[in-house]
Amino acid sequence: MLTSHRKQAILAALKRDGQVIAKSLSEEYGVSEDTIRRDLRELAAEGLLQRVHGGALPSSPAAADFAHRKQISTESKSAIARKAAELILPGQVVIIDGGTTCVQLARHLPATLQATVVTHSPSIAVELVSHPGIEVVMIGGRLFKHSVVAVGAAAIEAINHIRADVYFMGVTGVHPTAGLSTGDLEEAYVKRALVARAAEVVVLASAEKINAASPYVIAQATAANTIVVEADTPEETIAPLAALGIAIVRA
C-alpha cells in the first residue's frame, strides 16, 4: 500500500471509529509501528488528527482563531447558548469563558436577570455593557489575540480571589478519556484555574468538539458537571460521557 493510500485509510478509520491505535494499524497494513507513527506525525502536522499515546484522536476544527470560529456551527451555538442561559439563577456569581459559544450565551441572558458575571473575555464584557441587571467583573492580563481573552500570571492571580457558583467553559475538545482540551497552553492554565474556583462547571460543546482532542489538556472530562450539546447529538456519541456521571443537557 502506498503511503498516501495508507494515510487516507487511517483517516477513514479515524472518522469511522473515533480513534486509531498504532499497533492495530501496524498489523492491519503489514508495516512497522514506526511507519505508522511517522504517518500519524505527518497527518498531525497537517492538522488532520491529534496524536495521543499509542494512537490518535480526531483533531478539533474549533482550534481556529476567533474570527474563523464565529463562522462554525452558528445555529447550534445559539441553541446551546439559549439552553445554557436557562441554567443561571438570580443572584449567582457566574464565570463566562471566552469563545464564540460563550458570546452567544452572553447575548441570551434574560434582560430581567440579576447576577454577577466574571470574565476574562473583553468580548463577553462588551456584550453585557447594556444589560440592566448584570454586574461585570473583568479579569485582566495579557491579551491572547487568537481567542480574545486575558491569560498569564496576572489573570490567574485575580482568578484565585473569586468564588463562583458556576463556570461556563468553552473548549475545543471533549473526550471521555483524553479529557477537556484547548489549543493553547496558557489558555489551558487559565481555564484550569477557573475550574478550581467554581462550585459547578458547565461545558458548552457543539458537535465538532465532541470526541475530539486538542494539544493542551485542561482537566479530565469529569471536571465537568454538565455538558450542553446540540439537540440532535447521537446517543452513541454522548453515551461514554454520560457513563462518567456527567449530566448531558440537550439544547
Side-chain angles (χ1 to χ4, degrees):
M1 179 182 286
L2 296 174
T3 300
S4 59
H5 292 167
R6 187 172 62 246
K7 286 181 177 178
Q8 289 303 312
I10 290 171
L11 291 174
L14 185 60
K15 183 177 181 180
R16 181 187 67 240
D17 301 332
Q19 65 176 351
V20 290
I21 306 300
K23 183 177 181 180
S24 299
L25 293 174
S26 168
E27 294 170 353
E28 181 175 353
Y29 301 139
V31 295
S32 68
E33 285 191 50
D34 283 342
T35 297
I36 294 297
R37 283 193 288 269
R38 186 188 65 223
D39 290 344
L40 296 179
R41 281 197 303 271
E42 292 173 356
L43 289 168
E46 296 176 49
L48 299 175
L49 52 77
Q50 177 63 51
R51 292 182 68 207
V52 295
H53 182 71
L57 297 172
S59 178
S60 173
D65 64 24
F66 189 86
H68 285 88
R69 282 184 282 128
K70 287 197 292 187
Q71 311 303 319
I72 300 174
S73 305
T74 53
E75 290 184 9
S76 65
K77 287 177 181 177
S78 182
I80 288 170
R82 282 195 298 272
K83 176 57 72 172
E86 296 175 5
L87 303 178
I88 300 175
L89 300 176
Q92 285 189 322
V93 175
V94 178
I95 300 171
I96 299 183
D97 212 344
T100 53
T101 309
C102 288
V103 167
Q104 290 290 331
L105 170 58
R107 289 175 181 170
H108 284 91
L109 295 182
T112 56
L113 179 65
Q114 301 281 331
T116 298
V117 168
V118 179
T119 186
H120 65 309
S121 165
S123 303
I124 300 297
V126 169
E127 287 292 335
L128 295 173
V129 163
S130 60
H131 194 293
I134 299 292
E135 180 180 354
V136 180
V137 177
M138 282 215 59
I139 299 296
R142 181 180 67 83
L143 182 65
F144 178 43
K145 295 181 180 180
H146 177 279
S147 299
V148 196
V149 292
V151 296
I156 291 175
E157 170 63 20
I159 289 165
N160 287 336
H161 295 280
I162 294 164
R163 286 194 181 94
D165 295 292
V166 59
Y167 167 33
F168 290 92
M169 183 196 292
V171 297
T172 57
V174 180
H175 193 278
T177 55
L180 309 172
S181 56
T182 191
D184 180 79
L185 178 61
E186 281 197 87
E187 197 174 11
Y189 277 120
V190 170
K191 290 176 187 290
R192 194 174 307 151
L194 290 169
V195 168
R197 305 308 299 174
E200 183 178 356
V201 176
V202 178
V203 172
L204 311 181
S206 46
E208 73 275 4
K209 301 173 183 178
I210 300 175
N211 291 330
S214 290
Y216 300 102
V217 177
I218 301 161
Q220 294 182 343
T222 50
N225 301 96
T226 303
I227 300 176
V228 184
V229 301
E230 297 171 48
D232 59 354
T233 304
E235 187 63 33
E236 61 270 20
T237 300
I238 55 176
L241 294 165
L244 296 174
I246 303 168
I248 306 297
V249 175
R250 293 180 181 271

